Protein backbone atom coordinates (compact mmCIF):
# COMPACT_ATOMS: atom_id res chain seq x y z
CA UNK A 1 0.00 0.00 0.00
CA UNK A 2 1.63 3.23 -1.05
CA UNK A 3 -1.06 5.75 -1.79
CA UNK A 4 0.34 9.08 -2.94
CA UNK A 5 -0.83 12.58 -2.14
CA UNK A 6 -0.90 15.34 -4.74
CA UNK A 7 1.12 18.44 -3.87
CA UNK A 8 0.38 22.04 -4.86
CA UNK A 9 3.12 21.93 -7.52
CA UNK A 10 1.39 19.00 -9.26
CA UNK A 11 3.91 16.42 -8.07
CA UNK A 12 3.01 13.56 -5.74
CA UNK A 13 4.56 11.91 -2.70
CA UNK A 14 3.80 8.81 -0.60
CA UNK A 15 1.23 9.19 2.19
CA UNK A 16 3.61 7.80 4.85
CA UNK A 17 7.35 8.31 5.27
CA UNK A 18 10.19 6.59 7.07
CA UNK A 19 11.91 8.87 9.59
CA UNK A 20 15.71 8.58 9.41
CA UNK A 21 16.62 10.69 12.46
CA UNK A 22 18.72 8.71 14.98
CA UNK A 23 18.75 5.48 13.01
CA UNK A 24 21.40 3.12 14.35
CA UNK A 25 24.49 3.98 12.25
CA UNK A 26 25.94 0.45 12.40
CA UNK A 27 22.71 -1.16 11.11
CA UNK A 28 21.44 1.63 8.87
CA UNK A 29 21.73 -0.35 5.63
CA UNK A 30 19.77 -3.30 7.04
CA UNK A 31 17.16 -1.00 8.57
CA UNK A 32 16.59 0.78 5.24
CA UNK A 33 16.34 -2.60 3.48
CA UNK A 34 13.72 -3.66 6.03
CA UNK A 35 11.85 -0.39 5.51
CA UNK A 36 11.86 -0.91 1.73
CA UNK A 37 10.65 -4.50 2.21
CA UNK A 38 7.86 -3.24 4.46
CA UNK A 39 6.74 -0.89 1.67
CA UNK A 40 8.14 2.54 2.60
CA UNK A 41 9.25 4.60 -0.39
CA UNK A 42 9.56 8.04 1.24
CA UNK A 43 12.75 8.46 3.30
CA UNK A 44 13.02 11.57 5.44
CA UNK A 45 16.51 12.78 6.29
CA UNK A 46 18.27 16.13 6.84
CA UNK A 47 21.80 17.48 6.88
CA UNK A 48 21.33 17.83 10.65
CA UNK A 49 20.84 14.05 11.04
CA UNK A 50 24.39 13.55 9.72
CA UNK A 51 23.35 10.43 7.82
CA UNK A 52 22.55 11.68 4.30
CA UNK A 53 25.52 9.77 2.88
CA UNK A 54 24.56 6.48 4.56
CA UNK A 55 20.87 6.85 3.66
CA UNK A 56 21.72 7.64 0.01
CA UNK A 57 24.13 4.70 -0.18
CA UNK A 58 21.64 2.25 1.34
CA UNK A 59 18.94 3.37 -1.10
CA UNK A 60 21.27 3.06 -4.09
CA UNK A 61 22.49 -0.39 -3.03
CA UNK A 62 18.90 -1.58 -2.55
CA UNK A 63 18.34 -1.70 -6.29
CA UNK A 64 14.88 -0.14 -5.89
CA UNK A 65 14.28 2.07 -8.96
CA UNK A 66 15.11 5.70 -8.23
CA UNK A 67 11.81 6.88 -9.74
CA UNK A 68 9.80 4.96 -7.15
CA UNK A 69 11.69 6.54 -4.23
CA UNK A 70 10.92 9.88 -2.61
CA UNK A 71 13.90 11.32 -0.77
CA UNK A 72 13.52 14.42 1.38
CA UNK A 73 16.34 16.36 2.99
CA UNK A 74 16.50 19.69 4.76
CA UNK A 75 18.72 22.72 5.19
CA UNK A 76 19.64 23.74 8.73
CA UNK A 77 19.32 27.49 9.60
CA UNK A 78 23.05 27.93 10.25
CA UNK A 79 23.57 27.19 6.53
CA UNK A 80 21.04 29.74 5.27
CA UNK A 81 23.73 32.34 4.49
CA UNK A 82 25.42 29.86 2.13
CA UNK A 83 22.34 27.95 1.04
CA UNK A 84 23.57 26.91 -2.41
CA UNK A 85 26.56 25.27 -0.80
CA UNK A 86 24.30 23.60 1.74
CA UNK A 87 22.03 22.17 -0.95
CA UNK A 88 25.01 21.00 -3.02
CA UNK A 89 26.37 19.38 0.15
CA UNK A 90 23.12 17.40 0.55
CA UNK A 91 23.15 16.34 -3.10
CA UNK A 92 26.73 15.17 -2.91
CA UNK A 93 26.27 13.36 0.42
CA UNK A 94 23.12 11.63 -0.84
CA UNK A 95 24.90 11.10 -4.17
CA UNK A 96 21.73 11.83 -6.08
CA UNK A 97 21.16 13.78 -9.30
CA UNK A 98 18.08 15.38 -7.79
CA UNK A 99 16.25 15.49 -4.46
CA UNK A 100 12.50 14.85 -4.52
CA UNK A 101 11.79 17.25 -1.66
CA UNK A 102 14.06 19.81 -0.05
CA UNK A 103 12.91 21.89 2.91
CA UNK A 104 14.06 24.74 5.14
CA UNK A 105 14.43 22.68 8.34
CA UNK A 106 13.47 25.55 10.68
CA UNK A 107 12.58 29.16 9.84
CA UNK A 108 15.57 30.53 11.79
CA UNK A 109 15.47 33.92 13.46
CA UNK A 110 16.86 36.09 10.63
CA UNK A 111 14.17 36.66 7.98
CA UNK A 112 16.71 37.99 5.45
CA UNK A 113 18.74 34.78 5.68
CA UNK A 114 15.54 32.74 5.37
CA UNK A 115 14.61 34.62 2.19
CA UNK A 116 18.07 34.06 0.75
CA UNK A 117 17.85 30.36 1.48
CA UNK A 118 14.38 30.09 -0.07
CA UNK A 119 15.59 31.98 -3.14
CA UNK A 120 18.50 29.53 -3.48
CA UNK A 121 16.09 26.61 -3.20
CA UNK A 122 13.88 28.07 -5.95
CA UNK A 123 16.96 28.54 -8.13
CA UNK A 124 18.07 24.93 -7.55
CA UNK A 125 14.52 23.84 -8.39
CA UNK A 126 14.76 25.74 -11.69
CA UNK A 127 17.98 23.85 -12.38
CA UNK A 128 16.21 20.53 -11.79
CA UNK A 129 18.23 19.65 -8.68
CA UNK A 130 15.21 19.88 -6.37
CA UNK A 131 11.74 18.75 -7.40
CA UNK A 132 9.43 20.02 -4.65
CA UNK A 133 10.35 22.83 -2.26
CA UNK A 134 9.00 22.82 1.26
CA UNK A 135 9.48 24.02 4.81
CA UNK A 136 9.46 22.61 8.29
CA UNK A 137 8.44 24.06 11.65
CA UNK A 138 6.98 27.21 10.08
CA UNK A 139 4.23 29.15 11.86
CA UNK A 140 1.24 30.67 10.04
CA UNK A 141 2.90 34.12 10.17
CA UNK A 142 6.17 32.80 8.71
CA UNK A 143 4.27 31.00 5.93
CA UNK A 144 2.22 34.09 5.10
CA UNK A 145 5.36 36.21 4.97
CA UNK A 146 7.24 33.79 2.70
CA UNK A 147 4.31 33.38 0.31
CA UNK A 148 3.66 37.14 0.16
CA UNK A 149 7.32 37.84 -0.63
CA UNK A 150 7.92 35.14 -3.26
CA UNK A 151 4.45 34.21 -4.53
CA UNK A 152 5.39 30.54 -4.19
CA UNK A 153 3.68 28.22 -1.71
CA UNK A 154 5.82 25.58 -0.02
CA UNK A 155 4.46 22.17 -1.00
CA UNK A 156 4.81 20.80 2.54
CA UNK A 157 5.11 22.08 6.10
CA UNK A 158 6.68 19.33 8.22
CA UNK A 159 5.73 19.98 11.84
CA UNK A 160 5.49 18.22 15.17
CA UNK A 161 2.02 16.73 15.43
CA UNK A 162 0.58 13.97 17.58
CA UNK A 163 -2.61 13.74 19.64
CA UNK A 164 -0.94 15.46 22.62
CA UNK A 165 -0.01 18.42 20.40
CA UNK A 166 -2.37 18.49 17.42
CA UNK A 167 -1.49 21.97 16.11
CA UNK A 168 -5.03 22.15 14.74
CA UNK A 169 -5.02 25.86 13.81
CA UNK A 170 -1.75 25.57 11.88
CA UNK A 171 -2.82 22.32 10.19
CA UNK A 172 -6.17 23.88 9.20
CA UNK A 173 -4.39 26.93 7.78
CA UNK A 174 -2.02 24.74 5.76
CA UNK A 175 -4.93 22.71 4.41
CA UNK A 176 -6.86 25.85 3.45
CA UNK A 177 -3.80 27.08 1.54
CA UNK A 178 -3.04 23.78 -0.20
CA UNK A 179 0.09 23.07 1.85
CA UNK A 180 0.50 19.40 2.77
CA UNK A 181 1.19 18.70 6.45
CA UNK A 182 3.74 16.03 7.34
CA UNK A 183 3.85 15.06 11.01
CA UNK A 184 7.15 14.52 12.80
CA UNK A 185 7.40 12.50 16.01
CA UNK A 186 4.03 11.01 15.06
CA UNK A 187 4.14 8.41 17.87
CA UNK A 188 5.54 11.02 20.29
CA UNK A 189 8.86 9.14 20.47
CA UNK A 190 7.18 5.96 21.67
CA UNK A 191 4.78 7.55 24.18
CA UNK A 192 1.88 6.31 22.03
CA UNK A 193 2.86 2.76 22.91
CA UNK A 194 2.37 3.18 26.65
CA UNK A 195 -0.86 5.17 26.41
CA UNK A 196 -3.79 2.95 27.61
CA UNK A 197 -6.41 4.82 25.53
CA UNK A 198 -4.47 4.05 22.34
CA UNK A 199 -3.79 0.44 23.35
CA UNK A 200 -7.53 -0.09 23.96
CA UNK A 201 -8.51 1.52 20.65
CA UNK A 202 -5.85 -0.36 18.71
CA UNK A 203 -6.90 -3.69 20.26
CA UNK A 204 -10.48 -3.17 19.07
CA UNK A 205 -9.17 -3.36 15.48
CA UNK A 206 -6.55 -6.05 16.14
CA UNK A 207 -3.88 -3.33 16.05
CA UNK A 208 -1.40 -1.75 18.46
CA UNK A 209 -1.56 1.69 20.05
CA UNK A 210 1.16 2.91 17.65
CA UNK A 211 -0.91 1.73 14.68
CA UNK A 212 -4.03 3.44 16.04
CA UNK A 213 -2.24 6.76 16.33
CA UNK A 214 -0.58 6.47 12.90
CA UNK A 215 -3.99 5.72 11.39
CA UNK A 216 -5.27 8.89 13.14
CA UNK A 217 -2.57 10.91 11.31
CA UNK A 218 -3.45 9.43 7.92
CA UNK A 219 -7.17 10.01 8.45
CA UNK A 220 -6.41 13.64 9.40
CA UNK A 221 -4.73 13.96 5.98
CA UNK A 222 -1.17 14.22 7.35
CA UNK A 223 1.89 12.32 6.16
CA UNK A 224 3.29 10.66 9.31
CA UNK A 225 7.04 9.98 9.50
CA UNK A 226 7.48 7.24 12.09
CA UNK A 227 11.06 6.26 12.88
CA UNK A 228 11.99 2.81 14.06
CA UNK A 229 15.29 0.99 13.99
CA UNK A 230 13.52 -2.31 14.60
CA UNK A 231 12.36 -4.42 11.60
CA UNK A 232 9.22 -5.63 13.40
CA UNK A 233 8.16 -2.21 14.64
CA UNK A 234 8.82 -0.41 11.34
CA UNK A 235 6.66 -3.03 9.60
CA UNK A 236 3.96 -2.60 12.22
CA UNK A 237 4.00 1.18 11.62
CA UNK A 238 3.36 0.70 7.90
CA UNK A 239 0.52 -1.79 8.44
CA UNK A 240 -2.21 0.79 8.97
CA UNK A 241 -4.13 0.75 5.70
CA UNK A 242 -6.65 -2.01 6.37
CA UNK A 243 -8.84 -0.39 9.02
CA UNK A 244 -10.62 2.88 9.76
CA UNK A 245 -11.18 4.55 13.10
CA UNK A 246 -14.76 5.13 14.24
CA UNK A 247 -15.64 8.74 14.98
CA UNK A 248 -15.83 7.89 18.71
CA UNK A 249 -12.32 6.44 18.62
CA UNK A 250 -10.96 9.43 16.68
CA UNK A 251 -12.55 11.70 19.31
CA UNK A 252 -11.03 9.65 22.17
CA UNK A 253 -7.59 9.99 20.53
CA UNK A 254 -8.10 13.74 20.12
CA UNK A 255 -8.97 14.01 23.82
CA UNK A 256 -5.31 13.23 24.68
CA UNK A 257 -4.40 16.82 23.77
CA UNK A 258 -2.55 18.50 26.64
CA UNK A 259 0.02 20.71 24.90
CA UNK A 260 3.02 18.49 25.67
CA UNK A 261 5.54 18.56 22.86
CA UNK A 262 9.21 18.16 22.04
CA UNK A 263 10.12 20.88 19.57
CA UNK A 264 11.63 24.31 20.04
CA UNK A 265 9.81 27.60 19.46
CA UNK A 266 10.03 28.43 15.71
CA UNK A 267 10.09 32.15 16.56
CA UNK A 268 13.25 31.91 18.67
CA UNK A 269 15.15 28.78 17.62
CA UNK A 270 18.32 29.77 15.74
CA UNK A 271 19.70 26.28 15.05
CA UNK A 272 22.59 26.54 17.51
CA UNK A 273 26.12 26.03 16.22
CA UNK A 274 25.72 23.00 13.92
CA UNK A 275 27.55 23.29 10.58
CA UNK A 276 27.52 20.42 8.08
CA UNK A 277 30.75 18.59 7.45
CA UNK A 278 32.60 20.33 10.27
N1 LIG B 1 11.51 18.53 10.85
C1 LIG B 1 11.88 18.39 12.10
O1 LIG B 1 12.24 19.35 12.79
C2 LIG B 1 11.90 17.01 12.71
C3 LIG B 1 12.15 16.84 14.08
C4 LIG B 1 12.16 15.54 14.59
C5 LIG B 1 11.89 14.45 13.77
N2 LIG B 1 11.66 14.66 12.43
C6 LIG B 1 11.39 13.52 11.50
O2 LIG B 1 10.36 12.72 12.04
C7 LIG B 1 10.84 11.38 12.22
C8 LIG B 1 10.18 10.73 13.40
O3 LIG B 1 10.36 11.49 14.57
P1 LIG B 1 10.98 10.92 15.92
O4 LIG B 1 11.99 9.90 15.59
O5 LIG B 1 11.39 12.08 16.75
O6 LIG B 1 9.73 10.29 16.68
P2 LIG B 1 8.72 9.06 16.51
O7 LIG B 1 8.78 8.47 15.16
O8 LIG B 1 7.41 9.55 17.04
O9 LIG B 1 9.27 8.04 17.59
C9 LIG B 1 10.43 7.25 17.40
C10 LIG B 1 10.63 6.45 18.68
O10 LIG B 1 9.48 5.64 18.92
C11 LIG B 1 9.84 4.26 18.93
N3 LIG B 1 8.85 3.55 18.13
C12 LIG B 1 8.52 3.78 16.85
N4 LIG B 1 7.54 2.93 16.46
C13 LIG B 1 7.26 2.16 17.52
C14 LIG B 1 6.34 1.09 17.73
N5 LIG B 1 5.52 0.66 16.78
N6 LIG B 1 6.32 0.51 18.96
C15 LIG B 1 7.15 0.93 19.93
N7 LIG B 1 8.04 1.94 19.80
C16 LIG B 1 8.09 2.54 18.59
C17 LIG B 1 11.22 4.18 18.28
O11 LIG B 1 11.98 3.17 18.89
P3 LIG B 1 12.72 2.00 18.03
O12 LIG B 1 13.57 2.72 16.99
O13 LIG B 1 13.49 1.27 19.04
O14 LIG B 1 11.61 1.19 17.40
C18 LIG B 1 11.81 5.54 18.61
O15 LIG B 1 12.41 5.52 19.90
C19 LIG B 1 12.36 11.55 12.35
O16 LIG B 1 13.05 10.35 12.11
C20 LIG B 1 12.61 12.62 11.31
O17 LIG B 1 12.62 12.07 10.01
C21 LIG B 1 11.65 15.91 11.89
Amino acid sequence: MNKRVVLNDGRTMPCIGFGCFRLPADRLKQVIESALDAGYRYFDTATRYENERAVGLALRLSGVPRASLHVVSKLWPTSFHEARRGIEYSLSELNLDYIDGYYLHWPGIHPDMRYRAWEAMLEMQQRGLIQSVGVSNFTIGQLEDLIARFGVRPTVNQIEIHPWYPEQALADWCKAHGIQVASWSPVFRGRAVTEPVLARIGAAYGKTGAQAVLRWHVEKGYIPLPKSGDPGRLKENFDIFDFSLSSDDAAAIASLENGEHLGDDPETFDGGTFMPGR
Side-chain angles (χ1 to χ4, degrees):
M1 170 65 191
N2 228 326
K3 210 176 108 208
R4 296 179 76 90
V5 299
V6 181
L7 303 175
N8 64 29
D9 63 358
R11 296 186 180 276
T12 64
M13 68 187 288
C15 67
I16 183 168
F18 186 69
C20 295
F21 184 36
R22 296 199 178 120
L23 285 183
D26 56 332
R27 290 189 295 111
L28 193 137
K29 183 170 169 289
Q30 293 96 305
V31 172
I32 298 238
E33 274 168 14
S34 302
L36 287 164
D37 284 347
Y40 295 90
R41 288 296 177 269
Y42 162 20
F43 291 83
D44 187 79
T45 185
T47 303
R48 183 68 187 91
Y49 306 165
E50 299 186 272
N51 63 11
E52 288 171 302
R53 184 181 298 205
V55 169
L57 182 64
L59 290 175
R60 267 196 321 287
L61 291 176
S62 74
V64 173
R66 173 68 183 93
S68 69
L69 296 171
H70 188 93
V71 181
V72 167
S73 196
K74 317 183 197 84
L75 189 71
W76 195 247
T78 50
S79 293
F80 284 2
H81 66 288
E82 49 179 13
R84 273 172 210 81
R85 224 181 106 197
I87 301 165
E88 279 159 5
Y89 178 85
S90 284
L91 279 160
S92 86
E93 288 288 291
L94 286 162
N95 200 359
L96 295 176
D97 294 336
Y98 68 91
I99 305 182
D100 302 84
Y102 203 72
Y103 306 164
L104 298 181
H105 201 147
W106 282 87
I109 57 170
H110 302 294
D112 286 345
M113 291 295 135
R114 184 187 313 151
Y115 305 149
R116 268 168 71 171
W118 187 245
E119 211 162 36
M121 284 186 25
L122 295 176
E123 186 193 308
M124 298 298 234
Q125 186 185 36
Q126 286 289 319
R127 290 171 51 195
L129 299 171
I130 297 173
Q131 294 202 322
S132 295
V133 288
V135 297
S136 179
N137 300 302
F138 270 51
T139 63
I140 294 174
Q142 289 160 341
L143 287 164
E144 282 176 330
D145 177 54
L146 198 72
I147 296 167
R149 189 162 286 263
F150 290 92
V152 177
R153 284 175 300 167
T155 52
V156 172
N157 190 18
Q158 185 182 121
I159 51 182
E160 178 179 0
I161 292 194
H162 38 69
W164 292 269
Y165 191 63
E167 286 277 53
Q168 198 59 57
L170 177 54
D172 287 347
W173 191 94
C174 288
K175 187 173 181 194
H177 291 80
I179 298 170
Q180 175 64 48
V181 167
S183 33
W184 65 255
S185 293
V187 299
F188 204 5
R189 300 232 167 111
R191 171 88 166 268
V193 180
T194 56
E195 171 53 56
V197 169
L198 294 174
R200 174 182 60 72
I201 292 172
Y205 301 92
K207 298 286 178 181
T208 64
Q211 288 171 316
V213 79
L214 289 167
R215 182 71 204 176
W216 175 85
H217 285 272
V218 168
E219 291 187 8
K220 297 279 275 180
Y222 311 148
I223 297 176
L225 308 171
K227 171 263 168 183
S228 178
D230 176 80
R233 287 192 287 277
L234 64 83
K235 197 166 177 213
E236 169 189 329
N237 293 344
F238 195 84
D239 182 19
I240 56 166
F241 297 104
D242 57 355
F243 72 110
S244 300
L245 296 168
S246 70
S247 53
D248 282 354
D249 287 338
I253 293 176
S255 74
L256 292 170
E257 176 176 3
N258 65 5
E260 278 183 71
H261 64 286
L262 301 156
D264 289 287
D265 180 350
E267 301 285 356
T268 57
F269 182 58
D270 66 0
T273 56
F274 172 76
M275 288 301 283
R278 288 179 204 166

